[in-house]
């Protein structure tokens, strides 16, 4: 019996020693299906849908023919039960819109930093007044882009169904009118086999 235990423990030790982890690069645009949670493929699908929808919407096309409107993007609100980095979604959408050459952006996340720098330039007595940027010279945004990411999760037995919906709107700040709106839906279903695998 002792020999059997010893052989068993040796076999387990050899088996564990043979299990080595391996790290390799993958395709960042490939659909990942590790689990049913919000992932990189979902972020990419949402970004592509929202940017393409906005840039091809006839009133937006007309608005950007001879002008590059100035907008700010409000952080996407996470209304799901998951911890989702909606700042990444916000960044991806604003980057794609900026790279389209159709819009200019104001980064509202840096307003406090800019204010501190301008205060330093104008009031610290350490910056040549002829090179200091004066207060009140920034250009205001004309439009605000904002959105919500929500989800509905249902589970029945070994099946889990997760539905995500991303809604975005573009508001004219002067009139309060919504100039564009769209949504992207994603559904993921996870089923466990009889063995729980």
């Amino acid at each position: 019996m002792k020999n059997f235990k010893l052989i068993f423990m040796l076999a387990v030790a050899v088996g564990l020693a043979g299990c080595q982890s391996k790290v390799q690069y993958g395709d960042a645009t490939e659909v990942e299906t590790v689990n049913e949670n919000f992932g990189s493929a979902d972020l990419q699908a949402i970004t592509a849908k929202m940017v393409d929808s906005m840039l091809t919407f006839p009133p937006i096309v007309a608005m950007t023919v001879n002008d590059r409107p100035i907008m700010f993007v409000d952080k996407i609100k996470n209304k799901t039960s998951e911890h989702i980095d909606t700042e990444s979604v916000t960044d991806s959408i604003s980057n794609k819109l900026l790279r389209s050459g159709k819009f200019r952006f104001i980064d509202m996340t840096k307003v406090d930093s800019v204010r501190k720098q301008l205060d330093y330039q104008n009031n610290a007595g350490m910056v040549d007044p002829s090179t200091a940027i004066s207060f009140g010279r920034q250009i205001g945004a004309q439009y605000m882009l904002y959105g919500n990411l929500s989800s509905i999760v249902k589970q029945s037995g070994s099946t889990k169904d997760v539905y995500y919906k991303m809604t975005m709107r573009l508001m004219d700040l002067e009139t309060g009118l919504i100039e564009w709106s769209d949504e992207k839906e994603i559904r993921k279903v996870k089923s466990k086999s009889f063995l729980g695998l």
Side-chain angles (χ1 to χ4, degrees):
M1 186 70 171
K2 282 186 178 183
N3 286 341
F4 178 73
K5 282 184 181 181
L6 183 61
I7 291 171
F8 177 75
M9 289 173 62
L10 186 61
V12 169
V14 169
L16 289 175
C19 296
Q20 296 178 0
S21 63
K22 179 180 175 184
V23 176
Q24 61 187 10
Y25 284 97
D27 181 358
T29 61
E30 186 178 309
V31 175
E32 46 85 15
T33 54
V34 175
N35 58 38
E36 73 281 2
N37 295 337
F38 191 87
S40 62
D42 305 319
L43 184 148
Q44 292 162 356
I46 283 172
T47 300
K49 160 72 174 172
M50 291 302 167
V51 172
D52 291 346
S53 170
M54 189 171 163
L55 292 178
T56 58
F57 188 58
I60 302 297
V61 171
M63 175 195 305
T64 57
V65 167
N66 298 315
D67 192 20
R68 289 179 65 209
I70 301 165
M71 75 164 69
F72 81 91
V73 183
D74 197 19
K75 185 178 173 186
I76 306 298
K77 292 191 177 29
N78 180 5
K79 295 190 169 185
T80 71
S81 57
E82 290 178 51
H83 171 72
I84 296 174
D85 181 8
T86 54
E87 193 169 332
S88 285
V89 180
T90 305
D91 288 346
S92 293
I93 290 170
S94 57
N95 283 342
K96 277 188 169 285
L97 286 171
L98 186 61
R99 289 177 55 96
S100 75
K102 301 288 186 182
F103 294 93
R104 293 177 289 167
F105 287 86
I106 292 173
D107 189 349
M108 294 304 294
T109 65
K110 297 301 176 191
V111 169
D112 285 337
S113 298
V114 171
R115 187 180 296 119
K116 286 177 187 172
Q117 177 57 209
L118 292 179
D119 186 49
Y120 168 77
Q121 289 186 22
N122 288 281
N123 300 319
M126 298 178 70
V127 176
D128 180 346
S130 67
T131 64
I133 297 170
S134 51
F135 281 101
R137 303 287 310 238
Q138 291 191 2
I139 296 173
Q142 300 161 282
Y143 297 93
M144 177 175 71
L145 185 64
Y146 62 99
N148 298 312
L149 178 62
S150 57
S151 68
I152 299 171
V153 179
K154 291 189 175 182
Q155 188 153 1
S156 177
S158 62
T159 302
K160 185 175 183 180
D161 181 277
V162 183
Y163 165 84
Y164 295 100
K165 183 170 85 167
M166 174 73 168
T167 306
M168 291 202 77
R169 292 187 173 98
L170 181 69
M171 177 193 287
D172 183 321
L173 291 174
E174 184 176 6
T175 64
L177 293 173
I178 304 299
E179 297 289 347
W180 167 85
S181 181
D182 206 346
E183 60 187 27
K184 168 71 177 167
E185 299 171 300
I186 296 171
R187 167 165 265 124
K188 292 180 169 185
V189 179
K190 177 182 178 181
S191 299
K192 289 184 180 176
S193 69
F194 176 71
L195 298 174
L197 301 173

